[in-house]
Structures are given as structure tokens and as C-alpha cells.
């Protein structure tokens, strides 16, 4: 264990994340580690200051987890990300940031693969997304298809005011929920307006109830 360095530990942790995701670690003032992904590179170097307006800066300033879209004004490219501060003896010492590629500016569709080709679905028509058999399925009222993004990536790409993670295998568009039924062990079933049912698992039920206010 004595041979493990801070850098090698971060590199190993970075391997747990998708090749789509860049990882940045900072102290309270500057970045100390950065691993770019194949899809997005903010050109951060160790020693660069944590800029105002980044999610890392917001997480450090508020001492809270921050997840949001950042426009191209900060790094020259738009991105989605999540920054989580870490503490020592109750004091903030830095944060870890996961950086996701943003959908193209102005694009509000999910392009799904169908047996006949590819179909762009506006966000408003997406009812829910499901992860199964190592694929991500996207469902609308009258169409379903697959997408290359994982649910974890979709969780930060889709508008947070409409889409909620309700299960390890599902993200749901709350605008298409018709009814919410109680199920066993503090779980729920969502009746969607396309006639399908989507489960809310026990680990997400409290979060789901809080967001929908019931």
C-alpha cells in the first residue's frame, strides 16, 4: 500500500468512468489532476486556477454538490457536469468534477435508432428511457428505439425540470405520468400515457416524492 501514489489512485478511479466523461480534481484554488475523455476536453492543466462560473467553483463556494449545464463562455465549449466537494475535519479542501459532453447548442431532440433508420425525438415526446440488455431504450407514445448514451449520461444531458431518475434502469419524463400507484416496500408504479408502467425503486422513492411534492 505504501507504493500507491495519489496520481495512480486518481488514474485508477478514472478508469471506472465512461470514456465519454472527463474527470477533474481541484483543491480550493487550482486543479491538481485532469483526465480528458475521448468526447470532451476542456484543456485543463494541473495548476490552472478554478475559474468563476465553473461548476467546480460553484461547488466550492456553496459546499454542495452541483449538477448543471455550463455554456461555452467559460472553457470555449459547452458541457454538462457534476462537481462534489470533499471535506477534511469539516473544512472544504477541494472537489471532484465529472464533465459530460453537451448536446449541440439548440438541439432539443434525442435521435434514436429504429429498425428503419434513425428518428429524432423532441424531448417533449420522450416518455421514458430504460436500460436493459446493455442497451438504452428510448420510448415515446408510438415509437421506441435505442441510443448509444448510458442512463448516467442522459441523466445530465436531459432537462432536469422534466426528466427524473426513478430507478437504476429508468429515467422518466414527469410530463407523461398519468397516475402514481403505491407498490410494495415503499415503492411506486407510474402509469404513463402510452399505456406502459414504469417502476420507482425503493432507493429512489424518497427523492422522487420530494421532487414531485407528495
Amino acid at each position: 500500500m505504501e507504493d500507491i501514489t495519489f496520481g495512480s489512485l486518481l488514474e485508477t478511479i478514472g478508469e471506472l468512468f465512461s470514456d465519454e466523461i472527463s474527470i477533474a480534481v481541484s483543491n480550493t484554488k487550482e486543479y491538481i489532476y485532469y483526465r480528458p475523455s475521448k468526447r470532451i476536453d476542456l484543456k485543463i492543466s494541473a495548476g490552472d486556477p478554478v475559474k468563476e462560473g465553473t461548476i467546480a467553483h460553484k461547488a466550492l463556494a456553496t459546499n454542495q454538490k452541483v449538477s448543471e449545464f455550463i455554456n461555452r463562455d467559460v472553457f470555449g465549449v459547452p458541457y454538462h457536469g457534476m462537481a462534489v466537494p470533499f471535506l477534511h475535519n469539516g473544512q472544504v479542501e477541494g472537489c471532484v468534477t465529472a464533465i459530460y459532453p453537451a448536446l449541440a447548442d439548440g438541439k432539443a431532440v434525442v435521435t434514436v435508432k429504429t429498425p428503419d433508420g434513425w428518428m429524432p425525438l423532441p424531448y417533449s415526446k420522450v416518455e421514458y428511457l430504460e436500460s436493459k440488455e446493455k442497451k438504452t431504450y428510448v420510448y415515446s407514445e408510438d415509437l421506441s428505439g435505442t441510443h448509444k448514451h448510458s442512463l448516467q449520461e442522459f441523466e445530465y444531458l436531459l432537462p432536469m425540470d422534466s426528466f427524473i431518475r426513478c430507478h437504476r434502469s429508468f429515467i422518466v419524463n414527469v410530463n407523461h405520468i398519468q397516475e402514481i400507484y403505491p407498490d410494495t416496500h415503499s415503492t411506486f408504479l407510474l402509469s404513463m400515457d402510452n399505456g406502459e408502467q414504469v417502476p420507482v425503486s425503493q432507493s429512489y422513492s424518497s427523492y422522487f416524492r420530494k421532487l414531485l411534492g407528495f
Side-chain angles (χ1 to χ4, degrees), residues 85-98:
F86 54 85
L87 310 178
H88 180 67
N89 292 330
Q91 299 295 316
V92 178
E93 290 209 336
C95 76
V96 179
T97 304

Side-chain angles (χ1 to χ4, degrees), residues 68-101:
E68 63 181 65
F69 171 83
I70 301 294
N71 64 36
R72 66 178 67 249
D73 295 342
V74 180
F75 284 108
V77 293
Y79 71 95
H80 288 263
M82 173 183 286
V84 181
F86 54 85
L87 310 178
H88 180 67
N89 292 330
Q91 299 295 316
V92 178
E93 290 209 336
C95 76
V96 179
T97 304
I99 300 154
Y100 301 81

Side-chain angles (χ1 to χ4, degrees), residues 184-197:
T184 57
H185 305 298
S186 301
T187 62
F188 304 98
L189 281 176
L190 308 177
S191 177
M192 309 301 295
D193 56 20
N194 67 350
E196 299 294 328
Q197 290 188 329

Side-chain angles (χ1 to χ4, degrees), residues 82-154:
M82 173 183 286
V84 181
F86 54 85
L87 310 178
H88 180 67
N89 292 330
Q91 299 295 316
V92 178
E93 290 209 336
C95 76
V96 179
T97 304
I99 300 154
Y100 301 81
L103 295 175
D105 287 345
K107 186 171 76 171
V109 300
V110 177
T111 303
V112 299
K113 185 177 181 181
T114 70
D116 299 321
W118 287 265
M119 178 81 67
L121 276 178
Y123 289 161
S124 60
K125 292 189 176 181
V126 175
E127 301 226 349
Y128 65 92
L129 301 92
E130 179 182 11
S131 176
K132 64 179 180 180
E133 300 169 351
K134 298 182 178 180
K135 292 182 179 180
T136 299
Y137 289 82
V138 182
Y139 298 90
S140 70
E141 185 173 358
D142 51 13
L143 175 72
S144 67
T146 60
H147 198 282
K148 62 183 179 181
H149 283 329
S150 67
L151 283 192
Q152 185 183 30
E153 290 161 333
F154 268 123

Side-chain angles (χ1 to χ4, degrees), residues 2-179:
E2 291 122 359
D3 294 331
I4 296 178
T5 65
F6 181 65
S8 64
L9 180 61
L10 290 174
E11 288 290 344
T12 302
I13 293 173
E15 291 299 316
L16 297 173
F17 293 88
S18 162
D19 288 339
E20 304 264 331
I21 302 169
S22 297
I23 303 296
V25 182
S26 72
N27 56 30
T28 58
K29 300 294 184 182
E30 63 187 25
Y31 293 98
I32 57 177
Y33 170 83
Y34 178 65
R35 191 203 72 164
S37 74
K38 295 178 180 178
R39 286 284 308 279
I40 183 166
D41 184 4
L42 301 186
K43 307 297 183 183
I44 295 170
S45 298
D48 286 352
V50 177
K51 296 180 180 180
E52 187 172 352
T54 63
I55 56 173
H57 186 274
K58 294 180 181 182
L60 291 169
T62 62
N63 192 16
Q64 293 181 345
K65 178 175 72 175
V66 176
S67 176
E68 63 181 65
F69 171 83
I70 301 294
N71 64 36
R72 66 178 67 249
D73 295 342
V74 180
F75 284 108
V77 293
Y79 71 95
H80 288 263
M82 173 183 286
V84 181
F86 54 85
L87 310 178
H88 180 67
N89 292 330
Q91 299 295 316
V92 178
E93 290 209 336
C95 76
V96 179
T97 304
I99 300 154
Y100 301 81
L103 295 175
D105 287 345
K107 186 171 76 171
V109 300
V110 177
T111 303
V112 299
K113 185 177 181 181
T114 70
D116 299 321
W118 287 265
M119 178 81 67
L121 276 178
Y123 289 161
S124 60
K125 292 189 176 181
V126 175
E127 301 226 349
Y128 65 92
L129 301 92
E130 179 182 11
S131 176
K132 64 179 180 180
E133 300 169 351
K134 298 182 178 180
K135 292 182 179 180
T136 299
Y137 289 82
V138 182
Y139 298 90
S140 70
E141 185 173 358
D142 51 13
L143 175 72
S144 67
T146 60
H147 198 282
K148 62 183 179 181
H149 283 329
S150 67
L151 283 192
Q152 185 183 30
E153 290 161 333
F154 268 123
E155 195 171 4
Y156 303 107
L157 293 174
L158 293 170
M160 289 185 292
D161 58 343
S162 297
F163 291 88
I164 298 177
R165 186 76 173 260
C166 62
H167 188 284
R168 65 180 297 179
S169 299
F170 290 92
I171 293 175
V172 66
N173 186 341
V174 298
N175 299 300
H176 290 284
I177 299 174
Q178 282 193 336
E179 291 188 68

